[in-house]
Amino acid sequence: MKKGKKRLYIHIPFCIKRCNYCGFVSSVLKDKRELSNYIDYLSLEFELYKDRLKDNIITIYIGGGTPSLFEPYEIYTLGELLFKYLSLPGEFTIEANPESITRDKVLAWRDIGVNRVSLGVQSFDDEVLSFLGRPHTAGDAVDAISILKDYFDNISFDFIYGIPNQDMSIWHKTLKRAIAFGPQHLSLYALSIENGTTFCKWYKRGKIHMMDEDLVVDMYEFGVHFLKENGYKRYEISNFSFPGKESIHNMGYWTYDEYLGLGVSASSFVEGIRYINYSSMTDYFKSLKNGAYPIAYSEKLSKEKMMGEYIILRLRTNRGLLIDEFIDIFGIDPLSIYKDKFAYFIDLGFMEHTEYGYRLTDKGILVSNQIFVEII
Amino acid sequence: MKHIRNFSIIAHIDHGKSTLADRLLEITNTIPKRKLVDQVLDRMELEREKGITIKAKPVRMIYNKNGIDYELNLIDTPGHVDFSYEVSRALSACEGALLLVDATQGIEAQTMANAHLAMELGLTIIPIINKIDLPSADIELVSEEIENTFLIPKEEIILTSAKEGVGVQEVLDAIVERIPPPKGDPNSPLAALIFDAVYDSYLGVLAYLRIFDGKVKAGDKIKVFSTGREFEVTEVGIFAPDYKKIDMLEAGEVGYLAASIKDIGEFLVGDTITLSKNPVSKPVPGFKKAQPMVFCGFYPLEGGDYEELRDALSKLRLEDASLIYSQEVSEALGFGFRVGFLGLLHMEITQERLEREFGLRLIKTMPNVVYEIVLVSGEVVHIENPSELPSPEKIEEIREPYIKASIITPPDFIGPLMELANDRRGKFINMEYLDAVKVLIEYELPLNEIIIDFYDKLKSRSRGYASFDYEYIGYRPSKLVKIDILLNGMPVDALSFMVHKDKAYMWGRRIIEKLRKVIPRQLFDVSIQAAIGKRVIARETVKALRKDVTAKCYGGDITRKRKLLEKQKEGKKKMKKIGRVEIPQEAFLAVLDISDEKR
């Protein structure tokens, strides 16, 4: 891993309702006071990491859950907390949901230094949104976007494709409407059925079926092509942006930088060790109350594991694997280990040479798990 | 000797043989009631579960009638056609047999076959109708069936409910009164029939014997008739019901003999034991070496378990002389064994025992019969594995084993069952009404056609009512072809099989369709072909995988993603690689139930 520069992730595990597909750790907010209470515990966790935070953080990402549930006063509290421990980073993203965006909140975000908003639009089709169990309509998203655009020039939209009741024309319309707003960044995610979700229950009961694989692929390829035509570059499997507007924070995950995750269920990667915080709020609180790190899982990675991880993360990106960077980090030529495998995938048309190393082809990206399995 | 009675019980599965045996043991106080585990005669867990007796186990009972103690030796018999030779040897050791028929089911095919065998051997038959307590019992009808089928007067039939203990006393009385005592001369040279052999970890191989003439005791030097091998007797004893050492066994008696023998092959069922000094001139008639009729490959699911499989087979072989095996190497499956069986049940039991008692996980390849190949040179060879088939230009003729099948069914199912038999290349021989509700249908069929799922089909087409028995009738010339299965042009040896040429296309197609379903999509198209020699008769393609991508990989939770990939990798490791093609273990199992597919 590359030491020094760190990214900070803060998880806000609350939503006003649970979406049918979502497998992230989050609970339905029953009492507004839970939010301030949660910030109190976050501050305990900050205190534990204060040495690591100082002058080291280059990006902040507040994700969830639904961070846009915070009222302006809570946002200011959070801001105070942050800057007690660190200085304003270059990129500061907050995730937001259309139904909870107000002008007051957006102003507060800007006041504490947020300079990028990732909006969970998911679709511009109301039927699709209701099937997904989203608590907003397409109209809510349009309203939210118009507010955001008044204050931010770095906005990202999230969309989901491969949804059972969505066809190609709906997908096409959604993307067309999206780019009309001129977002700097888009993330397109194929629907997957995660354990414990409503979709998972429906799927097991035969109430819903997975979309035909070929159609999912067609939707992805359409998205890649359509966005490219409109000036967006794919820089990672699911991420597209105008040149220079890539998410610096997210990019760090794929370039093997260190990051610190705070909050329930957040993950960290520091000094070759991966940590995961408790995903139960009770355990998380209890641990912090006792002054202990709220870590549920940690794993010191062997060099082999790290090399495998590095490659599969790097291969998710457009630049791909950089041989020199690999040698810098691990002190060994990756070809001495993976040459035959790379040759096999190049032969099948799934990988290609770049000036600095290797990357996946369009065809390879679509079956990337099959390739990663051979590398880890 | 005149107070000894040696007898067996002939019954169909589930007609109550073991329950009746339990009651006999209980009444004669051979085993006190409180110690009686249900069905004591069925030793192995597997036997108890399947409700069948695999191996004969004798037991000695003392029954007092009119102040005289009678020694009753019950020689139990396995109830399945695979073991018909063992049944015949067990029956040879007896003077009488109880013919036990379920009052609700009537006579079944196996009962009929075994009862006829007993009659041919000159045994006294005591007919019993059991389960008369059940509401659906039809005593009148079953009595008629017995009378018509075996020409036994109705008046001789004893009615019992072994479960309730009804009529069991009469059975004991009939054994004493009707079955003649054994004949034989204790002073003649020793002639003892081995009707079973088992391995005991303390005593070594035990021969279960019926002494026809002479006597034998510890210290005697014995000779095994077929091999001429000589051993010194270390112990003789009786089944009381546990092994009980006694001084001497003599003419008319049933007991066991140990001679510090390690290899069960020394005491083959049906063979004769005599004394080295003063041997008999002729053996007890009827000995033959059991020939395996069905073969299949057993491969460990985990390649590393090969040694364990070898040890397990050698342990099973200790107690099962009819099990034969030899090492086999498959390009697809690696190291394994080709194993020969007396029949299908024998195969199934062996596989289950390997899995259950030894904790092995196995891949079983498609079972096949032994083919007789006449070469152009005039030489005749037998092949136990389709992959050994010589090249076509060397073959003059291929012969396959045939059986005569006896099917007993209610008349309602005649149509579907005849259709089934015809479908399996059967030749109709005879049909006969045993009574108004039972028909006997006889067919000649290639053994190959019944080794996969004939029995299951027979049961499903007759809603469970039909029963089935068969006997070998020898080899017949047949138009057979070998079908090879190719994946991306590479033949997969473990999937080759032999089939009649008229069925080649249908079977080839069915198998490749099945394979298309179980072989996962890979990074390239996988072509699946069925071919006879170089001629492809059917083809399918597993289209290349288009999508296997984790869209979302942020929030930094790399650990979970990596673990999913690691799991996927584990799954891949379990696949067998044929060239670049990865095939799951199920592919080899899938071909076993191809006929479950809708026709």
Side-chain angles (χ1 to χ4, degrees), chain A residues 297-309:
Chain A
Y297 172 93
S298 73
E299 182 185 10
K300 172 118 181 82
L301 299 175
S302 65
K303 190 173 173 188
E304 283 68 35
K305 264 192 181 158
M306 278 204 254
M307 291 192 294
E309 274 191 356

Side-chain angles (χ1 to χ4, degrees), chain B residues 525-546:
Chain B
D525 285 355
V526 176
S527 82
I528 309 169
Q529 295 165 309
I532 300 172
K534 291 196 160 49
R535 188 164 57 90
V536 172
I537 56 166
R539 180 195 308 267
E540 282 284 341
T541 304
V542 178
K543 297 296 279 175
L545 184 75
R546 278 192 77 192

Side-chain angles (χ1 to χ4, degrees), chain A residues 303-304 307-308 311 326 330 332-342 374-375:
Chain A
K303 190 173 173 188
E304 283 68 35
M307 291 192 294
I311 293 178
F326 188 99
F330 300 108
I332 182 171
D333 184 346
L335 291 184
S336 67
I337 307 168
Y338 305 102
K339 196 177 172 195
D340 291 347
K341 282 179 177 164
F342 291 171
E374 297 296 329
I375 288 167

Side-chain angles (χ1 to χ4, degrees), chain A residues 95 213-214 216-217 238 254 259 297 299 301 309 316 344 347 350 366-370 373-374 376, chain B residues 521 523-524 545-551 553-559 562-563 565-566 569 572 580:
Chain A
E95 271 183 356
E213 187 181 290
D214 286 333
V216 181
V217 170
S238 310
W254 307 310
Y259 53 90
Y297 172 93
E299 182 185 10
L301 299 175
E309 274 191 356
R316 291 186 68 90
Y344 176 67
D347 185 39
F350 296 125
L366 286 167
V367 293
S368 48
N369 284 348
Q370 296 276 323
V373 158
E374 297 296 329
I376 59 164
Chain B
R521 293 171 73 179
L523 293 173
F524 37 79
L545 184 75
R546 278 192 77 192
K547 175 181 161 282
D548 181 9
V549 50
T550 305
C553 195
Y554 78 162
D557 188 5
I558 312 298
T559 312
R562 197 191 63 229
K563 291 206 161 147
L565 288 170
E566 279 166 359
K569 187 178 181 176
K572 265 172 122 68
R580 280 183 172 184

Side-chain angles (χ1 to χ4, degrees), chain B residues 173-440:
Chain B
D173 289 340
I175 291 169
V176 171
E177 285 160 11
R178 297 189 205 171
I179 297 176
K183 296 191 197 93
D185 181 358
N187 299 314
S188 293
L190 176 67
L193 167 72
I194 304 175
F195 63 84
D196 201 357
V198 300
Y199 184 82
D200 182 276
S201 43
Y202 297 105
L203 298 170
V205 179
L206 302 181
Y208 289 0
L209 298 176
R210 159 67 199 272
I211 316 286
F212 282 98
D213 285 310
K215 45 195 161 210
V216 62
K217 59 181 188 309
D220 283 348
K221 207 156 189 203
I222 52 161
K223 187 163 94 172
V224 178
F225 212 93
S226 76
T227 59
R229 305 255 297 156
E230 299 190 344
F231 304 96
E232 191 181 308
V233 178
T234 55
E235 182 175 322
V236 295
I238 53 172
F239 311 99
D242 296 326
Y243 297 131
K244 187 179 169 195
K245 188 173 167 179
I246 59 167
D247 294 339
M248 183 161 30
L249 284 172
E250 59 175 48
E253 288 186 316
V254 170
Y256 68 89
L257 175 154
S260 301
I261 290 172
K262 293 274 168 278
D263 177 7
I264 200 163
E266 300 283 5
F267 283 160
L268 292 176
V269 171
D271 213 339
T272 301
I273 287 178
T274 188
L275 293 179
S276 302
K277 260 191 271 170
N278 190 21
V280 280
S281 54
K282 273 191 282 182
V284 180
F287 173 67
K288 63 175 187 191
K289 259 189 151 167
Q291 287 296 331
M293 300 303 291
V294 180
F295 281 80
C296 76
F298 278 167
Y299 289 83
L301 197 63
E302 322 286 346
D305 286 348
Y306 171 78
E307 302 285 325
E308 281 83 351
L309 176 57
R310 191 186 58 196
D311 292 349
L313 280 167
S314 74
K315 279 186 187 131
L316 285 190
R317 156 78 201 187
L318 279 179
E319 47 184 279
D320 183 358
S322 54
L323 183 73
I324 67 157
Y325 60 93
S326 55
Q327 194 200 61
E328 180 175 80
V329 185
S330 155
E331 278 171 45
L333 300 173
F335 286 97
F337 293 91
R338 181 129 287 252
V339 190
F341 307 95
L342 298 175
L344 298 179
L345 184 75
H346 190 208
M347 175 166 72
E348 196 186 319
I349 289 167
T350 306
Q351 182 181 0
E352 283 207 40
R353 289 192 64 190
L354 287 170
E355 294 186 334
R356 219 182 267 204
E357 294 170 29
F358 299 92
L360 290 162
R361 293 175 68 210
L362 300 175
I363 297 180
K364 183 175 84 179
T365 64
M366 179 125 74
N368 61 269
V369 300
V370 178
Y371 294 98
E372 192 170 88
I373 315 291
V374 183
L375 300 175
V376 178
S377 65
E379 196 191 340
V380 177
V381 293
H382 288 88
I383 62 158
E384 294 166 2
N385 185 339
S387 67
E388 295 165 7
L389 190 74
S391 57
E393 71 279 4
K394 288 189 185 152
I395 298 174
E396 180 71 39
E397 187 175 86
I398 303 180
R399 298 173 185 156
E400 62 177 329
Y402 267 69
I403 54 140
K404 191 180 103 184
S406 306
I407 299 166
I408 294 183
T409 176
D412 297 359
F413 308 113
I414 294 174
L417 293 178
M418 287 180 65
E419 192 186 41
L420 172 66
N422 291 333
D423 207 37
R424 301 295 175 98
R425 297 193 279 136
K427 188 178 153 212
F428 176 78
I429 300 297
N430 182 37
M431 182 164 88
E432 188 186 322
Y433 275 79
L434 301 178
D435 59 39
V437 297
K438 279 242 161 106
V439 183
L440 166 69

Side-chain angles (χ1 to χ4, degrees), chain A residues 64-210:
Chain A
T66 313
S68 53
L69 286 178
F70 284 129
E71 294 300 332
Y73 70 92
E74 289 158 341
I75 296 164
Y76 291 119
T77 312
L78 192 64
E80 276 170 32
L81 170 63
L82 284 171
F83 300 109
K84 186 174 155 194
Y85 295 99
L86 46 94
S87 46
L88 192 66
E91 183 185 278
F92 184 175
T93 306
I94 189 164
E95 271 183 356
N97 254 11
E99 76 282 353
S100 53
I101 286 183
T102 63
R103 207 165 278 274
D104 294 348
K105 290 181 187 174
V106 173
L107 267 167
W109 297 344
R110 206 188 55 175
D111 287 347
I112 68 164
V114 170
N115 56 18
R116 186 172 179 274
V117 179
S118 173
L119 186 65
V121 182
Q122 314 308 357
S123 176
F124 277 116
D125 184 281
D126 282 342
E127 258 181 60
V128 170
L129 288 170
S130 125
F131 179 74
L132 291 173
R134 297 290 294 175
H136 62 86
T137 61
D140 293 338
V142 172
D143 294 345
I145 293 165
S146 75
I147 296 174
L148 289 175
K149 287 191 75 169
D150 287 345
Y151 303 95
F152 293 102
D153 60 1
N154 198 356
I155 301 172
S156 176
F157 296 164
D158 279 2
F159 290 104
I160 300 177
Y161 61 96
I163 303 161
N165 69 344
Q166 171 200 44
D167 62 20
M168 196 55 146
S169 75
I170 293 177
W171 179 230
H172 187 163
K173 275 184 211 154
T174 285
L175 288 183
K176 224 169 128 181
R177 270 189 94 173
I179 59 149
F181 293 105
Q184 285 69 28
H185 186 283
L186 295 108
S187 300
L188 312 185
Y189 298 118
L191 180 71
S192 60
I193 293 186
E194 303 290 333
N195 273 334
T197 61
T198 303
F199 274 175
C200 182
K201 206 159 65 188
W202 289 355
Y203 178 71
K204 281 182 185 159
R205 290 189 194 150
K207 275 174 79 180
I208 55 166
H209 299 280
M210 291 296 280

